[in-house]
Amino acid sequence: MTTATLDSVRQKLAAVGQEHLLTFCDRLGPDEVGVLVEQINAIDLDALPGLIERYVLSDQQFEIPDDLEPAPYYPRDPASPVRPWDRDAAAELGEKLIADGKVGCFTVAGGQGSRLGYDGPKGCYPAGVISGKPLFQIFAEGILAASRAHARPIPWYIMTSPLNHDATVAFFMEHNFFGLCADDVMFFPQGTMPSFDKATGKILLADRHTIATNPDGHGGALKAMVASGATADMQKRGIEHVSYFQVDNPHVRVLDPVFIGLHAGADDSSGEMSSKMLPKADAKEKVGVFCRSCGRTMVVEYSDLPDALACQTNPDGSLRFNAGSPAIHMLGVGFVEKLARDPEFALPYHRAVKKVPHVDLETGKRVEPIEPNAVKLERFVFDAIPLAESSIVLETDRVEEFAPVKNKDGVDSIVTSKRLQTERAARWLEAAGVKVPRKPDGSPDCVIEIGPLTATCAEELVAKRESLPPEIERGASVVL
Ligand code: UTP
């Protein structure tokens, strides 16, 4: 690195108030300077002042559109007078699309999982109730089951981040891809953003020669899918739609024929981006809410929805804005390509205030903050929904499809997830005629785990009723 090159970098940084990034430069080896300058060059410096002003130094409130109303959705019960629909036709189309090799799976696994506090990629977290199966294995088995049922490989795309990519790939290799063919599992890292000091807007240094960065949010998936060649691979394989799910929900149906069929075939779906919704647990539940404005479906984050709207009720007392998002979508591959190849395309940033370890510029020592000190900027995938011509929403059931592992304890933790996993297993067994002991409060008086290779939904378990025990013993631990 020549002095002239370094001077030019210094000038560019000074122009945007970030020259402190070179504070330790004269104490670094040439390789370290090279790494730092490479990182600096990857930042869009021209855009920085605007971003910092808008998102770091101020907390711009989302403006609620005047015409905001709840988004319509397909009710779980297809015979509901609210909106009758043909579930069998949707299921048939979905099955055909899977059988014809037009559907793949896509997991966003690039998050940092800071709330869970697990040392490793979140997908490696042991989530199986009894088996302790990692989240990745639960999804892999769901895909394997669908692949066997349709006698064809189903490709799985996994978005990592530069911070957990190698560990994720190594985990799959160590576990022999959980029975899937390695050629059908593709990993690609998402982009990153620098992390900013909350008070000053200055980019933080993780150490003397490395900028502190964070993954750019699950919304970074859209550009990363195209930039990495994932969508090109999908097109080569004839994949037209992907089933999108997060890494922390062991209850997700990795491929749901009904949802796939509705997304691809419903009259009011453009087949670009569709979503599942679940009725909110209560008015203040921390989930985004499906709304509609200017004829477009959108998700409003819980933090942006004013209490007056969050708590608003219908004449029958039910919540008006009731459609919570469990972050389960179908994405059209053509839609992702169209968006990401448009030079004007950019999803908005969302601001998250977090604790980010960094180097003190005066002492050169590492600081482990006790209080949130930094702003991370992230893009959210649901902000692409209004960009679809016509986006549909399908109601689902909380126990059936949502048992997230987000927090170390309390709500949405492994304890609540395992409870939900047992409850769902109990329901499936009861549907198959098995007697499940329940406590006076109605919860199962046993612990049950049903692996995806046994059944991925109640109907599949019912079909196996002959091989099931007639009843489960009180207090038993049962793995099926
Ligand atoms: P969360 O919003 O729960 O974030 O991600 P997180 O990073 O996993 O966890 P916290 O907030 O630090 O505790 C929801 C899903 O989106 C993915 C996550 O891996 C998870 O599947 N995600 C999130 C990404 O793939 N990239 C990101 O930049 C952020």
Side-chain angles (χ1 to χ4, degrees):
M1 173 91 28
T2 64
T3 316
T5 313
L6 205 54
D7 282 347
S8 138
V9 174
R10 197 182 300 278
Q11 272 175 21
K12 284 192 214 154
L13 287 172
V16 292
Q18 302 288 343
E19 66 275 28
H20 66 282
L21 293 177
L22 299 181
T23 301
F24 303 104
C25 228
D26 48 5
R27 282 165 269 173
L28 300 176
D31 288 354
E32 290 175 326
V33 175
V35 169
L36 180 60
V37 168
E38 202 182 321
Q39 269 197 304
I40 293 169
N41 285 338
I43 300 173
D44 180 358
L45 290 178
D46 294 339
L48 267 191
L51 277 186
I52 293 170
E53 191 55 41
R54 179 158 182 209
Y55 294 106
V56 183
L57 299 178
S58 64
D59 185 5
Q60 275 214 345
Q61 296 299 311
F62 170 80
E63 275 185 35
I64 294 291
D66 290 341
D67 67 342
L68 194 77
E69 55 180 2
Y73 57 84
Y74 284 87
R76 252 185 96 211
D77 175 7
S80 160
V82 178
R83 190 180 192 185
W85 56 285
D86 192 341
R87 192 177 192 281
D88 292 344
E92 199 180 315
L93 175 59
E95 293 285 1
K96 179 166 169 23
L97 289 168
I98 301 171
D100 289 348
K102 297 200 182 307
V103 190
C105 290
F106 175 39
T107 306
V108 283
Q112 292 179 293
S114 46
R115 284 171 287 171
L116 187 60
Y118 173 65
D119 187 19
K122 216 193 234 182
C124 309
Y125 188 84
V129 181
I130 298 165
S131 66
K133 269 180 205 169
L135 287 157
F136 279 135
Q137 182 174 1
I138 295 174
F139 306 137
E141 290 184 356
I143 295 169
L144 195 54
S147 168
R148 286 181 183 158
H150 294 92
R152 62 167 313 127
I154 294 168
W156 185 15
Y157 301 84
I158 300 174
M159 184 175 80
T160 60
S161 86
L163 312 176
N164 70 10
H165 183 83
D166 292 347
T168 304
V169 176
F171 189 72
F172 272 80
M173 290 176 67
E174 222 171 275
H175 292 89
N176 217 1
F177 289 78
F178 303 106
L180 293 168
C181 173
D183 289 345
D184 297 323
V185 186
M186 267 75 48
F187 304 88
F188 62 92
Q190 65 180 111
T192 57
M193 281 296 285
S195 310
F196 300 89
D197 181 86
K198 180 166 73 95
T200 62
K202 294 208 181 293
I203 294 175
L204 293 167
L205 279 174
D207 60 41
R208 292 171 182 220
H209 69 282
T210 317
I211 287 174
T213 56
N214 56 270
D216 61 357
H218 38 66
L222 300 178
K223 283 200 168 160
M225 284 168 87
V226 174
S228 65
T231 49
D233 184 84
M234 291 168 191
Q235 283 166 332
K236 199 173 76 198
R237 292 172 187 251
I239 302 289
E240 293 175 3
H241 306 279
V242 285
S243 169
Y244 167 106
F245 53 91
Q246 301 192 334
V247 78
D248 46 24
N249 179 14
H251 268 194
V252 74
R253 251 193 107 175
V254 295
L255 285 165
D256 177 358
V258 173
F259 185 37
I260 295 167
L262 264 188
H263 159 80
D267 289 345
D268 58 345
S269 170
S270 56
E272 295 178 305
M273 183 161 183
S274 305
S275 313
K276 285 195 178 174
M277 82 81 163
L278 34 85
K280 276 168 59 175
D282 56 69
K284 301 280 184 70
E285 192 187 6
K286 292 185 173 176
V287 288
V289 177
F290 288 99
C291 299
R292 182 163 274 221
S293 167
C294 294
R296 299 268 168 158
T297 305
M298 64 196 293
V299 170
V300 177
E301 258 296 72
Y302 63 90
S303 48
D304 291 328
L305 194 67
D307 279 2
L309 291 183
C311 300
Q312 211 173 57
T313 50
N314 295 311
D316 66 359
S318 59
L319 286 177
R320 182 159 176 254
F321 288 91
N322 192 32
S325 172
I328 302 171
H329 305 283
M330 286 299 303
L331 289 172
V333 177
F335 176 63
V336 176
E337 278 269 339
K338 184 180 79 179
L339 290 184
R341 294 209 182 280
D342 175 357
E344 301 287 303
F345 167 70
L347 295 177
Y349 282 108
H350 294 255
R351 174 188 205 263
V353 179
K354 301 262 171 154
K355 286 188 250 178
V356 173
H358 59 98
V359 162
D360 183 289
L361 293 178
E362 298 204 340
T363 62
K365 295 215 171 100
R366 190 170 162 89
V367 181
E368 296 285 342
I370 303 162
E371 294 296 325
N373 61 315
V375 171
K376 293 184 182 180
L377 299 184
E378 294 187 331
R379 292 185 153 121
F380 291 168
V381 77
F382 57 65
D383 283 325
I385 295 174
L387 305 178
E389 279 304 311
S390 182
S391 178
I392 56 128
V393 179
L394 169 64
E395 180 182 11
T396 185
D397 176 80
R398 184 174 288 269
V399 174
E400 281 294 317
E401 292 212 53
F402 197 52
V405 185
K406 293 245 177 233
N407 300 312
K408 209 173 177 53
D409 36 43
V411 71
D412 294 344
S413 63
I414 188 63
V415 173
T416 56
S417 176
K418 286 189 172 178
R419 204 177 292 145
L420 284 162
Q421 290 180 55
T422 289
E423 172 58 29
R424 185 178 78 169
R427 287 187 186 182
W428 289 8
L429 281 167
E430 284 166 345
V434 176
K435 200 163 175 305
V436 176
R438 287 190 178 265
K439 296 179 189 157
D441 68 0
S443 60
D445 193 5
C446 52
V447 184
I448 323 167
E449 176 172 346
I450 299 176
L453 292 173
T454 301
T456 63
C457 61
E459 294 78 33
E460 286 177 15
L461 198 70
V462 170
K464 294 187 174 170
R465 63 156 65 87
E466 300 306 324
S467 58
L468 300 173
E471 62 184 80
I472 306 288
E473 274 176 41
R474 201 161 286 286
S477 288
V478 181
V479 185
L480 292 166

